[in-house]
Amino acid sequence: MKAIEIRNKYLNFFKKNGHEIIPSAPLIPENDPSVLFTTAGMQPLVPYLLGEKHPNGTRLVDYQKCVRTNDIEEVGDNRHLTYFEMLGNWSLGDYFKEESIKMSYEFLTKELNIEPEKISVTCFAGDEDCPRDEVTAKCWKEVGIPEERIYFFGKDDNWWIAGEEGPCGPDTEMFYDTGKPKCSEECNPSCDCGKYVEIWNNVFMEYFKDKSGKYTKLKQHNVDTGLGLERMAMLLQGKETPFETEIFEPIMNKLVEIQKVDNIESRRIIAEHLRSSMMIICDGGKPSNIDRGYILRRLIRRMIRHMNNLQIPLEELSTLIDINVENLKEMYPILEEKRETLKTVITEEKDKFVKTLTKGEKEFIKEIEEVKKQGKDIVDGKMVFRLYDTYGFPPEVTEELARENGMQIDKKEFERLFKEHQEKSRAGAEQKFKGGLAGTGEMETKYHTATHLLNAALRQVLGEHVHQRGSNITAERMRFDFSHDNKMTEEEKQKTEALVNEWIAEAIPVEHIEMKKEEAIKSGAEAMFIEKYGDIVSVYKIGDKSIELCGGPHVSNTSELGHFKIKKEESSSSGVRRIKAILE
């Protein structure tokens, strides 16, 4: 069963069961302080999981494009992906455990035709905070899962919370038995030997964890599920890795055809990073030295390094992009529409990286002469890391150049520094997600509303060409990206700041309206990726100053915002400027 068939079966099954199909949110989140990219299906639905009314009702289903970047360096093995698609169905205070489990079991066994005996499940074992989830186990028994294939685990395995506080609850995970022999008598779904593969996770949000660590029952009980499409396609097709499915097969075959050196790891990295880069670019991403632009740059540059490893001419990039567009356009029609943009962005980044490699090589030659003068034959690991960190110069290239000069590199020192760098990056990514569902406090809500006023003020001061290109909000400040080619003058910044403060002083009510998408477009409502919204949309109107499609949260009156101050205006990427501002 191909990936697109699985996706369509999923959407149609839940539609038959009373769910409204909602479109995938873009990979670049709107007004989300927690992450650089959309990392899970629940992320765009945060306000509704917290109790806000969704315009499409209480039963929703979608496929969500996701990017997770913590494990970029792991891509190349047989399972890691940075871009993936998550199928999800949602109950916002509607059905709960029994109905959720019945539907999940029916979909797996009747729609996907998975043999019931291949399914094992896990439930929350209970602890001092919350009791053992016997209700979920009972539901599984009622649909036909025998007791010996129902396992109980603690919070590490069967509890879900985004961040350190907020809505949370026990989850139940479904595992597919691949038929491999058990690695030991104790082998069970928590084992990573490969016998059991997790295929679906249903989270039952019934608790709230506060800052003190205390758990209380939520008034609105939600169900939040996630099923990884690539993994399911791999299992149903009897493949060992996602790279053998139709999603990657054409590009993998082409790489075998044009490579001069054989390396499966490099082929996987090229195929995965090319698809991820293309999807990010389609949703508005551009390479840069910060945040999501830096991640995109890393993906493209790592891909190019591995094309060099396979001795594939870089001119082949255009052909590889065409193969991906043709292969994936049924799943993602936007790829066809953006074909030339994809080629332009990736080729420009390739050209910059080739120059970087030249600069790095010159820097290396300088350093190596210094090492030779000192009578040493080992290149310091710090220097290898500096070349990697500053110039994006691959350590394997440094090692090769050192060897050509009759020298070695201090691999141990480099690996130590690289590991420290990875841990900092990972901690940074975790910190960005720390807010999670809880990141909608009083100040975040104020900043969220302030972005609407700033957007409207910029359009008035700079012109109608200004549109939001992204934002990042914390409790301390807001950051706002917008389309504009030139650096703002001091006068333009002062005018913008004064306009926002004038509207705050006017004490304008903030209205929340639900309307048809066509009506919202006619009314002139601003939105990033307006075509990706459902038929009924959520619109926030601030007098005659601002009207935008948005999921919230917002203050009820502009007078609640305080004094707005622009701290900095700078370039974000080509054709995009960035403002950092605070509310005092």
Side-chain angles (χ1 to χ4, degrees), residues 140-184:
W140 280 119
K141 284 176 197 166
E142 284 170 1
V143 297
I145 300 287
E147 197 156 350
E148 63 269 20
R149 294 209 306 274
I150 300 172
Y151 298 82
F152 285 87
F153 297 114
K155 278 207 175 89
D156 286 349
D157 292 291
N158 282 92
W159 188 268
W160 185 93
I161 184 168
E164 292 172 11
E165 58 178 296
C168 57
D171 65 26
T172 184
E173 296 178 1
M174 288 144 265
F175 289 80
Y176 179 89
D177 187 340
T178 60
K180 291 177 182 175
K182 288 191 170 195
C183 65
S184 67

Side-chain angles (χ1 to χ4, degrees), residues 22 38 86 102 148 177 371 390 401 414 420 507 522 558:
I22 57 172
T38 300
M86 189 68 81
K102 273 184 184 170
E148 63 269 20
D177 187 340
V371 174
T390 308
L401 286 170
F414 170 76
E420 277 177 21
K522 280 178 192 167
T558 60

Side-chain angles (χ1 to χ4, degrees), residues 429-489:
E430 283 163 7
Q431 183 63 32
K432 277 189 173 292
F433 199 60
K434 190 177 173 185
L437 288 178
T440 49
E442 185 187 349
M443 282 311 297
E444 288 95 335
T445 302
K446 287 180 179 181
Y447 278 120
H448 201 129
T449 310
T451 63
H452 289 233
L453 293 180
L454 175 58
N455 194 21
L458 286 166
R459 284 171 65 78
Q460 203 163 307
V461 173
L462 301 176
E464 294 294 305
H465 64 279
V466 169
H467 297 285
Q468 181 180 341
R469 288 288 174 262
S471 71
N472 182 280
I473 297 163
T474 70
E476 288 77 39
R477 56 100 182 115
M478 62 180 275
R479 203 180 66 202
F480 186 81
D481 292 355
F482 59 98
S483 50
H484 187 57
D485 286 327
N486 306 314
K487 184 178 179 178
M488 288 176 73
T489 64

Side-chain angles (χ1 to χ4, degrees), residues 225-238:
T225 80
L227 183 157
L229 181 62
E230 290 83 356
R231 184 178 292 181
M232 185 60 86
M234 174 189 85
L235 292 169
L236 293 183
Q237 292 172 28

